[in-house]
Amino acid sequence: MNEIIQLCYLVTISIAISSASMQFLARGKNLAASNPLIKSPTTSLFLLCVLVFNVCDFMILFLGNSMGISAVEWILVAENVLEVFMAYVLIEMEREYFQLAE
């Protein structure tokens, strides 16, 4: 069962990497997009936060024993700060969306 959960985390991290890289490509190359939020900097921040959050979870769950309790505590603190930052970025994305809808 542990291997299945590890595989799910790795798939989730791969999806986060691919979505963030596609978003950066759309912004960097100034590709046409149906929605301006696709090329928004707040979308980039949100996708990066999701990626870092998944990597932190993976490290806590599967590398926690080898890292030690002190390292896991610091990762948990960083994860909590990241959760607050993700909420802020999500609110900013919603604000941009509603400004575009007007």
Side-chain angles (χ1 to χ4, degrees):
M1 185 65 178
N2 198 18
E3 291 85 15
I4 293 173
I5 295 172
Q6 283 179 340
L7 183 62
C8 290
Y9 265 105
L10 291 176
V11 167
T12 304
I13 290 170
S14 299
I15 291 170
I17 289 171
S18 64
S19 62
S21 64
M22 291 303 291
Q23 200 272 339
F24 287 135
L25 178 69
R27 277 185 62 205
K29 298 282 185 180
N30 200 17
L31 300 175
S34 60
N35 189 341
L37 285 179
I38 293 173
K39 296 194 280 184
S40 171
T42 54
T43 305
S44 301
L45 281 175
F46 182 74
L47 290 174
L48 281 176
C49 287
V50 169
L51 176 63
V52 172
F53 192 81
N54 284 328
V55 169
C56 286
D57 273 346
F58 182 82
M59 288 172 47
I60 289 170
L61 288 175
F62 302 109
L63 302 176
N65 291 336
S66 61
M67 288 189 307
I69 200 81
S70 176
V72 170
E73 287 175 351
W74 279 108
I75 293 173
L76 286 171
V77 168
E79 227 178 24
N80 287 334
V81 171
L82 189 62
E83 283 179 20
V84 173
F85 186 68
M86 282 174 62
Y88 172 74
V89 171
L90 190 58
I91 290 169
E92 285 296 313
M93 284 174 55
E94 289 174 353
R95 184 184 60 80
E96 285 181 13
Y97 176 75
F98 286 116
Q99 283 180 347
L100 291 172
E102 292 177 347

